């Protein structure tokens, strides 16, 4: 783990999460910066991680289930590599299930349960810890 890579990766994900919450868009520059962070410690596992991270999001975007920004942000897999992408997806699934459960149970959150939710904050919540594991 390289400190510059950690700083760029985590900072980019946090910025993208806040921006997605505010504007419901993901800036292209942030995706490029996160992918460039993967060049600091590039390996074959990085390429496999990028493919693994992008494939499910690409398929979901093709069916209209999510936006294209989430697919571009899957470049985070380029930084994480294969093993940590699997860990990140596991953490992301738990976070999504907990948020969905909270939106169904807590009356104040029920209004937002039927609306589309931004996905990038879940990327950040899942992939930042996966980076350090």
């Amino acid at each position: 783990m390289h400190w510059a890579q950690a700083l760029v990766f985590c900072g980019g994900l946090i910025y993208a999460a806040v921006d997605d919450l505010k504007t419901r868009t993901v800036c292209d520059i942030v995706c490029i910066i996160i992918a460039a962070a993967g060049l600091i410690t590039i390996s074959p596992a990085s390429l496999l991680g990028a493919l693994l991270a992008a494939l499910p999001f690409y398929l979901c975007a093709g069916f209209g289930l999510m936006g294209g920004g989430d697919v571009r942000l899957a470049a985070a897999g380029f930084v994480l590599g294969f093993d940590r992408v699997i860990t990140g997806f596991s953490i992301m699934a738990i976070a999504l299930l907990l948020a969905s459960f909270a939106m169904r149970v807590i009356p104040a959150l029920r209004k937002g349960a039927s609306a589309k939710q931004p996905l990038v904050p879940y990327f950040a919540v899942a992939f930042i810890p996966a980076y350090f594991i």
Side-chain angles (χ1 to χ4, degrees):
M1 176 172 38
H2 195 270
W3 67 270
Q5 184 183 40
L7 186 65
V8 170
F9 178 70
C10 296
L13 277 177
I14 291 169
Y15 176 81
V18 171
D19 194 38
D20 192 30
L21 284 170
K22 288 181 181 178
T23 65
R24 302 291 174 117
T25 60
V26 178
C27 182
D28 292 336
I29 298 296
V30 174
C31 297
I32 292 169
I33 289 171
I34 289 173
L39 294 174
I40 295 173
T41 57
I42 191 167
S43 70
S46 299
L47 299 174
L48 189 57
L51 290 174
L52 177 67
L55 183 64
F57 295 106
Y58 181 75
L59 291 173
C60 288
F63 291 116
L65 299 174
M66 66 176 51
D70 301 322
V71 177
R72 291 189 314 265
L73 196 61
F78 191 62
V79 176
L80 295 176
F82 183 78
D83 294 339
R84 292 187 284 178
V85 165
I86 298 294
T87 304
F89 279 157
S90 301
I91 296 170
M92 188 180 209
I94 292 168
L96 284 165
L97 286 171
L98 289 174
S100 177
F101 179 74
M103 286 182 194
R104 303 278 184 226
V105 173
I106 300 170
L109 298 176
R110 280 196 190 142
K111 289 182 252 178
S114 61
K116 284 191 172 185
Q117 301 296 319
L119 191 61
V120 178
Y122 296 103
F123 264 103
V125 164
F127 283 3
I128 290 173
Y131 178 80
F132 291 105
I133 290 177

